[in-house]
């Protein structure tokens, strides 16, 4: 078979065992918006690069499923209570979408995602992040919006490449001064937290174009004289400025 892309989205597929019978040269498979509960061991699909499984009812992946060739994986809007064990094999993944599940913690094996560029974790129940996440030096976009985060640790300075950091709608009480070490950061959204002050070190983020700090507990901001020259959007509504 010459088939390399298959789109079966928006059907009524409940049993995904048919994946094991698909042609091995498939590089893209879209099974989003079905009713799949479990993902089988599909090691026959050794050429698969893009796997779309968003908006199903997925609770589990077969633990022996080898995902080492996947570069783009979408499992958003499912019923995962944890990051499946087989995700430890995602050492080629560049884009991983785990948004809108019931995940409460991230595994330390996220350190194996050594090629990752975009990680979406919005709308889960993550209250604490392992240090391994802050060491993902290839990460460009990190979305932790709408979780239960209370702090951002100093170790966040390990995100050497990050450009977009989205941590809005959490319970964060302060921003660490180490954010100033993120020299490529251009978009920071910390909307709807409990932040009382902005560290002056944030002014070192000279690439900043969008800064969203609305609905916090800010009373003042550091003087930005000569800094943030590229800033295009600054949102400070719903704070305590006088």
């Amino acid at each position: 078979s010459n088939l390399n892309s298959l789109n079966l989205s928006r059907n009524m597929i409940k049993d995904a065992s048919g994946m094991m019978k698909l042609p091995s040269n498939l590089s893209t498979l879209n099974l989003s918006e079905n009713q799949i509960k479990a993902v089988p061991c599909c090691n026959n699909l050794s050429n698969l690069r893009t796997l779309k499984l968003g908006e199903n009812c997925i609770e589990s992946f077969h633990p022996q499923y080898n995902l080492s060739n996947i570069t783009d994986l979408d499992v958003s809007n499912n019923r995962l209570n944890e990051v499946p064990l087989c995700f430890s094999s995602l050492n080629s993944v560049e884009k991983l979408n785990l948004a809108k599940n019931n995940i409460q913690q991230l595994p330390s094996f996220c350190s194996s995602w050594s090629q990752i560029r975009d990680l979406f974790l919005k709308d889960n129940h993550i209250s604490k992040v392992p240090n391994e996440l802050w060491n993902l030096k290839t990460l460009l976009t990190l979305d932790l919006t709408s979780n239960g985060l209370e702090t951002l640790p100093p170790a966040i300075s390990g995100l050497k490449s990050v450009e977009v950091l989205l941590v809005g709608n959490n319970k964060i009480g302060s921003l660490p001064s180490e954010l100033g070490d993120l020299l490529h950061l251009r978009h920071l959204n910390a909307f709807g937290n409990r932040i009382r002050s902005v560290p002056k070190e944030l002014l070192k983020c000279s690439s900043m174009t969008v800064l969203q700090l609305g609905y916090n507990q800010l009373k003042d901001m550091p003087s930005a004289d000569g800094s943030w020259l590229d800033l295009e959007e600054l949102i400070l509504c719903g704070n305590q400025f006088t």
Side-chain angles (χ1 to χ4, degrees):
S1 170
N2 292 320
L3 188 67
N4 59 39
S5 181
L6 177 60
N7 188 339
L8 286 165
S9 63
R10 296 189 180 186
N11 279 285
M12 292 178 282
I13 300 168
K14 294 182 179 179
D15 182 358
S17 61
M19 287 173 69
M20 294 185 284
K21 301 172 186 174
L22 293 172
S24 62
N25 51 307
L26 267 186
S27 63
T28 299
L29 176 59
N30 188 342
L31 286 166
S32 58
E33 295 182 66
N34 279 285
Q35 297 163 29
I36 297 165
K37 285 191 174 181
V39 179
C41 183
C42 303
N43 291 340
N44 53 305
L45 298 175
S46 58
N47 290 299
L48 202 62
R49 300 291 182 268
T50 299
L51 179 56
K52 302 289 188 185
L53 294 166
E55 295 188 58
N56 276 282
C57 309
I58 296 170
E59 297 174 352
S60 65
F61 276 68
H62 192 285
Q64 262 80 52
Y65 188 6
N66 186 341
L67 297 161
S68 61
N69 290 317
I70 299 285
T71 59
D72 185 351
L73 177 58
D74 182 0
V75 283
S76 62
N77 220 328
N78 277 287
R79 298 177 184 173
L80 293 172
N81 290 321
E82 59 184 8
V83 179
L85 183 60
C86 66
F87 281 32
S88 62
S89 66
L90 281 168
N91 45 35
S92 299
V93 75
E94 296 176 5
K95 182 178 181 181
L96 177 57
N97 192 342
L98 285 160
K100 298 186 178 181
N101 278 281
N102 301 311
I103 297 166
Q104 296 183 29
Q105 63 181 36
L106 294 175
S108 58
F109 67 62
C110 68
S111 60
S112 65
W113 304 339
S114 58
Q115 306 299 314
I116 197 160
R117 295 164 62 87
D118 304 301
L119 179 56
F120 302 98
L121 296 161
K122 180 179 180 178
D123 286 318
N124 278 285
H125 305 291
I126 300 165
S127 59
K128 192 177 180 185
V129 174
N131 278 336
E132 286 82 359
L133 183 81
W134 309 121
N135 286 322
L136 295 174
K137 292 178 172 41
T138 57
L139 202 59
L140 300 178
T141 299
L142 176 59
D143 188 355
L144 282 161
T145 305
S146 299
N147 278 281
L149 289 178
E150 295 183 4
T151 60
L152 294 176
I156 200 170
S157 62
L159 297 177
K160 299 297 185 187
S161 302
V162 78
E163 297 178 358
V164 179
L165 180 61
L166 309 176
V167 292
N169 200 22
N170 280 285
K171 301 173 183 176
I172 298 166
S174 63
L175 295 175
S177 59
E178 287 78 8
L179 282 176
D181 296 332
L182 306 180
L183 300 181
H184 300 283
L185 187 63
R186 58 181 175 81
H187 181 176
L188 174 61
N189 185 341
F191 207 85
N193 279 284
R194 301 169 182 176
I195 299 165
R196 295 178 178 274
S197 64
V198 175
K200 65 181 185 304
E201 287 84 358
L202 196 63
L203 296 170
K204 293 194 291 182
C205 298
S206 58
S207 301
M208 191 78 74
T209 57
V210 178
L211 182 56
Q212 296 164 304
L213 295 170
Y215 295 97
N216 278 286
Q217 298 171 21
L218 297 174
K219 294 181 177 178
D220 55 35
M221 286 284 288
S223 174
D225 292 342
S227 304
W228 292 342
L229 297 178
D230 294 326
L231 194 64
E232 296 173 3
E233 181 178 319
L234 177 60
I235 298 180
L236 297 170
C237 58
N239 277 285
Q240 298 173 11
F241 292 102
T242 55

